[in-house]
Amino acid sequence: MTYVDGFVLAVPNANREAYRRHAEEFAPRFREQGAIAMVECWGDDVPDGKLTSFPMAVKCGPEETVVFSWITWPSKEVRDAGWAKIMADKSMQMDPAAMPFDGQRMIYGGFRTIVEQ
């Protein structure tokens, strides 16, 4: 079964286009390292919660939108090898101040698929 890296982050609304360009620039590089797909989703119906929610998890401000994204890999082994190459590639390393979002509030993790239809 496939392996998935998932991400949730808050992006300033003013940076929507910059974020889209950032994602479009990096997607082919992930595919070159074996990723099957990379999907970026701009929040549209992401309600605030009382106890937990996507906005609360990333401390989303009033002028920000939650972004939910994932990268699908054919296996964890391909993912681990791909990430190792990506992290070693100096062209993939960005100054945090140049990113169109606050990386300190990003939530991410790797997930083993248990159902895939």
Side-chain angles (χ1 to χ4, degrees):
M1 289 212 179
T2 58
Y3 194 83
V4 177
D5 282 317
F7 308 86
V8 180
L9 52 147
V11 178
N13 295 332
N15 291 354
R16 180 179 175 158
E17 184 59 23
Y19 183 83
R20 188 192 62 73
R21 285 192 312 268
H22 170 81
E24 280 189 344
E25 177 184 338
F26 283 88
R29 296 176 181 189
F30 281 96
R31 294 199 73 150
E32 288 169 5
Q33 300 308 326
I36 297 168
M38 183 173 142
V39 178
E40 299 284 344
C41 303
W42 191 263
D44 179 58
D45 184 11
V46 187
D48 287 322
K50 292 183 181 179
L51 185 60
T52 63
S53 68
F54 281 120
M56 290 170 70
V58 294
K59 298 181 180 180
C60 194
E63 298 301 317
E64 296 178 316
T65 297
V66 172
V67 169
F68 177 57
S69 63
W70 63 93
I71 303 170
T72 307
W73 303 87
S75 68
K76 185 174 190 306
E77 294 75 23
V78 172
R79 177 264 201 167
D80 289 349
W83 270 110
K85 290 178 184 172
I86 288 165
M87 296 308 287
D89 182 350
K90 291 191 189 264
S91 71
M92 291 292 285
Q93 297 169 8
M94 290 186 67
D95 174 6
M99 289 199 251
F101 61 94
D102 179 359
Q104 292 181 344
R105 292 186 286 146
M106 178 173 62
I107 297 171
Y108 61 92
F111 300 85
R112 293 187 185 277
T113 302
I114 60 170
V115 175
E116 189 169 12
Q117 297 185 17

